[in-house]
Amino acid sequence: MRPRTAAAFVATLLVMALAAPAGAAAPEQVDIMNQGGVGVYAEDAVSVVRQPNSLQVKASVPTPQPGTYVYAPGTVAGSPEVFTLWAFVFNYPDLCDGPCDGNDLGLGAEALGGAYNVGGHVAGAGGQLTITGHINVGDPAGAPPPIFVGAPLESPSTAEIHVALAPHGALDPSTLPGELSMPVGNPGCGCWWVGVLIP
């Protein structure tokens, strides 16, 4: 390649790099674990994109088959079933008292953790269950106390994110649309599928 041509080629690459969309971030992916945390339910099933002012959260797993898994207390198998996706976001995980957990949720916790309803979905048997949503800086925690409490999102770039898929069991049409944003179960129920992204 001639020197002048090589220089023009390098200049073109530089212009293309500078013209790329600002803030375009690659997604971080992590496996989602089986209920109870032992073994992988779906590889690279959780995807999070960190932006300066938001988090984009997605989970995509084979739809859990009715009657084959642990249900949250007070729910039963059926078809179709309801699932919700939650993000437990710890703004400053270095300040967690040990591993980040429920003790690090809330405005009084140094890690400033918050729980957010990412979305919900009604799913029939088979196929792929995909739920997506986003959380903006300043968004308040998205579930009523006393089950989930929390602080607003402050630091997408440093946050540790625990993504939980929660089973609500058989659809009761009378509970819609509220059920798609309501919490069910708790970390000790053994009924959540969870993936953890550490910055």
Side-chain angles (χ1 to χ4, degrees), residues 35 56-57 86 92 108 110 120 143-144 175 186:
Q35 291 177 307
Q56 182 75 32
V57 183
W86 298 85
Y92 307 106
E110 291 186 9
T175 66
N186 60 57

Side-chain angles (χ1 to χ4, degrees), residues 67-137:
T68 66
Y69 61 84
V70 177
Y71 285 78
T75 66
V76 296
S79 186
E81 294 190 330
V82 176
F83 298 88
T84 53
L85 189 65
W86 298 85
F88 297 83
V89 180
F90 303 90
N91 285 291
Y92 307 106
D94 290 348
L95 301 179
C96 285
D97 183 16
C100 294
D101 59 20
N103 295 323
D104 300 296
L105 293 173
L107 292 169
E110 291 186 9
L112 291 179
Y116 298 86
N117 172 244
V118 176
H121 194 68
V122 178
Q128 196 78 358
L129 172 64
T130 301
I131 304 175
T132 63
H134 69 276
I135 306 163
N136 293 317
V137 167

